[in-house]
Amino acid sequence: MDVKTRAREVCEGVGDKLIALSHRIHAHPELGFEERQAARWLCEALADSGFAVETPLCDLETAFVARAGSGPLHVAICAEYDCLPGIGHACGHNIIAATALGAGIAAAGIADEVGLRLSVIGTPAEEVGNNGGKILLLERGAFAGVHAAMMVHPAPIDLLRPAMLANSTFDVHYTGKEAHASGFPELGINAADALTVAQTAIGLLRQHMRPTDRVHGIVTKGGDAPNIVPAHTSATFMVRAETLRDLNDIRGKVFRCFEAGALATGAKLEIVGGDKPYAEMVHDGEIAELYRGNAERLGRRFVEWPGMQRAAASTDMGNVSLAIPAIHPLIGIDSLPAVNHQPEFTAHCVTGAADKAVLDGSIAMAWTLIDMARDSGLCTRLTGRV
Ligand SMILES: [Zn+2]
Ligand SMILES: [Zn+2]
């Protein structure tokens, strides 16, 4: 029997198990770096399928690597499994986890035959926006010796090479001085006004931003009572741009807006985080085309969506893609008008279409791994061996 047919049959054979895991992670959402159950369930399932599992990994409690095969081409499949605060698995990382497991199990069965070495890497905390799990794992050597990396991410529709922006997430803190807001306001320093000035300045900055730049944030602390001049306020902001270089430029301008708030009010400004930004995603064209062919063979259709460049998020897979050839296609779960980071999308991540995405994503990745291992030109490029 053809090796791809066998890989598909393995995926279909464990299909119920993959879907059960997807639903179980969805029903028990865990925030970044706290995904203890999801990581454990994945490690158990991978160990049951013959993988050698190492966890914790690189001093990260909820990270792991599961290894199989000893071929010359070493490919990593990345699993994400963190949720969003308040709205659960509204980014469908339960589907990412299950597809990584499915592709891993299917490819492990034929790894030595086709010449693959596999690492399923459990990468925590993608949603945190700064110093995400993959950035820490990259720095600490978890991807050392890996020739290429891949994952699929759920979305309303299938997109082969989604635009993914560089992103810096940071906290802003202003410290002013309390005073009776009516009796002695002249003795207060208003830290909430500092935030208002900063946000007004950012609003004006928008005229001068590139169309691909983004700034958005929330106030996480605005004060304690209306009759106390706010002395401590905080916000969390994200700044995004097409590349890390553009990001550096726009982030400097945004920081000046926060400085303006401090200058205008006399409050003290502190900015925390933003030091380990997410990089833009560079999709490896050759691997992406192999994935396209396999996904289309399963009946998937990639849309050239006019809003594609506008609908850009960010991922720490971008950092992986700058270090190692990588792909990060989006797999559709037929959710429109519901989109990622909406509670309605959370509900869509366990529908029949979501479960089909788990199976299709698993098979398409496993087939892509087979194609990669059999393509001597690609192997030479990826491994650097002639
Ligand atoms: Zn997300
Ligand atoms: Zn996501």
Side-chain angles (χ1 to χ4, degrees), residues 19 23 95 333-335 346-357:
I19 288 160
H23 288 211
I95 295 167
I333 61 166
D334 197 20
S335 64
T346 310
H348 271 281
C349 286
V350 282
T351 55
D355 296 345
K356 185 164 189 324

Side-chain angles (χ1 to χ4, degrees), residues 247-292:
L247 180 70
N248 218 25
D249 166 61
I250 184 69
R251 187 174 50 178
K253 292 177 182 172
V254 171
F255 278 9
R256 288 212 296 278
C257 295
F258 287 108
E259 286 163 14
L263 185 67
T265 59
K268 195 167 106 343
L269 167 68
E270 190 190 6
I271 294 177
V272 180
D275 51 327
K276 298 279 181 70
Y278 289 13
E280 67 274 18
M281 179 78 206
V282 177
H283 303 271
D284 187 276
E286 222 176 327
I287 305 173
E289 285 307 320
L290 293 176
Y291 177 85
R292 179 207 292 275

Side-chain angles (χ1 to χ4, degrees), residues 91 93 126-127 153:
C91 210
H93 293 187
E126 188 280 327
E127 293 287 359
H153 193 300

Side-chain angles (χ1 to χ4, degrees), residues 152-212:
V152 295
H153 193 300
I157 54 173
D158 285 85
L159 284 177
L160 188 63
R161 298 204 224 176
M164 290 283 174
L165 302 172
N167 171 40
S168 179
T169 304
F170 52 88
D171 294 325
V172 176
H173 302 285
Y174 285 111
T175 307
K177 174 88 185 130
E178 298 91 342
H180 193 293
S182 169
F184 304 97
E186 65 277 17
L187 297 179
I189 296 173
N190 195 318
D193 287 354
L195 266 179
T196 303
V197 170
Q199 291 187 91
T200 305
I202 290 167
L204 293 168
L205 174 63
R206 292 189 193 281
Q207 180 188 347
H208 307 286
M209 288 172 18
R210 287 169 288 247
T212 43

Side-chain angles (χ1 to χ4, degrees), residues 11-45:
C11 269
E12 286 168 352
V14 294
D16 289 350
K17 192 170 144 182
L18 301 178
I19 288 160
L21 179 83
S22 169
H23 288 211
R24 194 164 9 139
I25 293 174
H26 187 273
H28 298 90
E30 299 167 295
L31 290 169
F33 296 120
E34 297 171 11
E35 319 95 320
R36 293 182 188 87
Q37 296 186 103
R40 195 181 75 237
W41 294 332
L42 280 161
C43 287
E44 286 169 1

Side-chain angles (χ1 to χ4, degrees), residues 80 82 84 90-93 96 126-127 151 153-154 314-315 328 340-341:
E80 295 174 6
D82 60 324
L84 287 152
C91 210
H93 293 187
I96 301 177
E126 188 280 327
E127 293 287 359
M151 58 177 284
H153 193 300
S314 305
T315 171
H328 183 284
N340 301 58
H341 293 206

